[in-house]
Amino acid sequence: MRTTHAATRALFEHARGQAIRIDNPAANINRDTIAPAPPRRKGLSFEGESLAAFVRAIPDDVKGWALRLHLMTGVRPGELCGAAWREFDETAGTWTLPAERTKTGSEYTISLPAQAWELLRRIRDNTQQSAFVFPAARGSDRPIPYQTYRAWLWRVMDALEIPRKTFKPHDLRRTMRGGLALLGVRFEVAERAINHKLPGMAEIYDRNDYAKERKAALAQWADYLDSLRTRANVVPIKKEAAS
């Protein structure tokens, strides 16, 4: 309806410009009155029992390993989908996202926990040879599109009987960030761990990348996710700051 109003208004405005009409009857119509904007979707995240249920519902295959890697690292969905093998250095234990692939426009290096390397080895052994970690089904010369990855997430949502529209791939990143907070990771470390800029003047004066602290935080988070997958009951989160 809002799109129809905009098109109608533009059509009448064009007619005025061509001297076909002397007025625009749609000009004074408040589109918010006839078609209120839909409510903005609130970001969602899993924690506690819901996170445990999600982790246990993830299938043990390449699609599931992608979801686990995403939840473990908290990268942006596009950064995961476009991951290239050349970005990973197992000797150094790092995943380096080039500047052109980050939202901040700066190179960003993640120290991956042992569990992430285990997933990456499984993925490499079970996918077609490609420069990309998750090659597209039709042509290994390009990575999977966002829509494909979203479908992988939807498979788990369906298994849990959760409406697909209520949870998006970006919400795995949100879940990871919330999990770090519950683990007691300091705010500035948790923000740097998802490659966020610090708010306000803090970004100007605090130029630390907290590499050591981020590495410890990701290891702590990966261990917690493991505990959810392998134990019958949810393990209470211990609020211990990563150091």
Side-chain angles (χ1 to χ4, degrees), residues 17-34:
Q18 297 297 315
I20 299 173
R21 290 189 63 97
I22 62 173
D23 65 339
N24 183 343
N28 296 320
I29 297 176
N30 186 337
R31 68 177 185 177
D32 290 327
T33 300
I34 61 174

Side-chain angles (χ1 to χ4, degrees), residues 16-171:
R16 286 184 66 241
Q18 297 297 315
I20 299 173
R21 290 189 63 97
I22 62 173
D23 65 339
N24 183 343
N28 296 320
I29 297 176
N30 186 337
R31 68 177 185 177
D32 290 327
T33 300
I34 61 174
R40 187 172 182 178
R41 174 186 173 276
K42 293 182 178 180
L44 301 177
S45 63
F46 289 129
E47 64 178 67
E49 292 289 352
S50 64
L51 177 57
F54 176 79
V55 169
R56 292 171 189 155
I58 295 176
D60 191 26
D61 57 21
V62 171
K63 298 174 183 178
W65 300 334
L67 294 171
R68 287 180 57 194
L69 186 63
H70 191 187
L71 182 60
M72 197 178 297
T73 60
V75 295
R76 294 177 174 87
E79 294 167 348
L80 179 83
C81 292
W85 287 113
R86 66 177 179 274
E87 297 171 355
F88 295 86
D89 184 342
E90 190 165 3
T91 301
T94 58
W95 176 11
T96 300
L97 292 162
E100 63 270 18
R101 289 220 315 114
T102 67
K103 186 176 181 179
T104 60
S106 299
E107 184 178 276
Y108 181 67
T109 298
I110 306 167
S111 291
L112 296 175
Q115 294 93 327
W117 290 110
E118 179 185 354
L119 291 174
L120 287 166
R121 285 190 287 270
R122 291 186 190 178
I123 292 167
R124 172 163 263 171
D125 291 342
N126 288 274
T127 54
Q128 56 185 319
Q129 187 173 3
S130 171
F132 297 101
V133 178
F134 303 107
R138 297 181 179 179
S140 60
D141 59 336
R142 61 182 186 275
I144 58 168
Y146 171 84
Q147 292 79 2
T148 296
Y149 179 61
R150 183 180 59 188
W152 295 358
L153 174 63
W154 279 351
R155 183 172 61 154
V156 181
M157 297 294 98
D158 291 345
L160 294 172
E161 298 183 347
I162 298 175
R164 292 180 174 185
K165 291 185 178 181
T166 63
F167 199 85
K168 300 168 64 176
H170 190 84
D171 292 323

